Amino acid sequence: MAEALSGAKLAEAAYLLARPRDQHHQGIELADLVRMIEGSGIRIAGNDPWMTLRSALNADQAHWLVNDALWVPIEERRAVGTELSGRALSDAIYPFVQERYPSDRVFHYETAKEALLKTGVRIKGRATGPTMRKALVGSSDRFELYPARGRGYWRWKESRT
């Protein structure tokens, strides 16, 4: 019997199966991913395949973006040279989200991160999600968590200049 997968191996298998099926980056529901993986003959470790897969995908932020409960396989981003993190990344994020989300000032960090990457900004590290979150957390003068919208949502603060 084949080894049951979890963690990075499971995330990689899911990525390889999902990428051709989601070429337009619309996203795939977790239940459909579980069915896709199990339907291919791959066993998911643990008692709760959904939880095991969700945990694996969440840890593999170099390849997965979650948006409105849909998991989107993304191109790997490997920044080289002038990568940003910390306050320098916050300096790039702040005017970007101010322009992109002017009315309610609320944004999901993953959605904003992907849009920011498309502008050519380079974020330090293989997994850019944690770097983005750390920049937001470290800039409490500019950003605050906004849990009223759900997990991962932030609000930019008005500048006090």
Side-chain angles (χ1 to χ4, degrees), residues 4-114:
L5 299 182
S6 65
K9 287 183 179 180
L10 178 59
E12 181 180 2
Y15 181 78
L16 293 173
L17 289 168
R19 186 117 189 276
R21 291 176 173 89
D22 190 33
Q23 294 177 5
H24 300 291
H25 306 289
Q26 299 298 310
I28 304 171
E29 289 185 8
L30 191 65
D32 292 334
L33 284 169
V34 168
R35 280 192 287 276
M36 187 184 310
I37 292 165
E38 291 177 337
S40 75
I42 296 171
R43 291 186 324 115
I44 300 174
N47 294 329
D48 185 346
W50 288 34
M51 182 68 78
T52 302
L53 180 59
R54 184 180 312 115
S55 177
L57 300 182
N58 194 42
D60 188 14
Q61 293 187 8
H63 292 108
W64 290 97
L65 163 70
V66 64
N67 192 4
D68 293 328
L70 296 175
W71 290 89
V72 182
I74 57 174
E75 298 290 327
E76 181 176 357
R77 308 266 195 254
R78 294 202 63 146
V80 178
T82 59
E83 309 94 358
L84 299 178
S85 65
R87 191 64 179 198
L89 179 56
S90 174
D91 289 344
I93 297 167
Y94 192 62
F96 178 79
V97 296
Q98 283 180 310
E99 183 178 317
R100 193 167 176 102
Y101 308 99
S103 57
D104 67 356
R105 302 181 351 233
V106 176
F107 61 96
H108 192 278
Y109 83 95
E110 281 284 353
T111 305
K113 176 190 69 121
E114 286 303 308

Side-chain angles (χ1 to χ4, degrees), residues 137-157:
V137 169
S139 296
S140 59
D141 59 321
R142 294 177 171 174
F143 306 103
E144 62 188 355
L145 270 173
Y146 194 73
R149 282 268 183 93
R151 238 179 117 147
Y153 282 90
W154 290 79
R155 180 168 54 191
W156 60 266
K157 296 179 180 180

Side-chain angles (χ1 to χ4, degrees), residues 120-150:
V121 170
R122 294 174 173 222
I123 299 175
K124 187 174 185 176
R126 177 178 152 92
T128 55
T131 305
M132 178 82 162
R133 280 195 317 271
K134 287 176 186 173
L136 295 170
V137 169
S139 296
S140 59
D141 59 321
R142 294 177 171 174
F143 306 103
E144 62 188 355
L145 270 173
Y146 194 73
R149 282 268 183 93

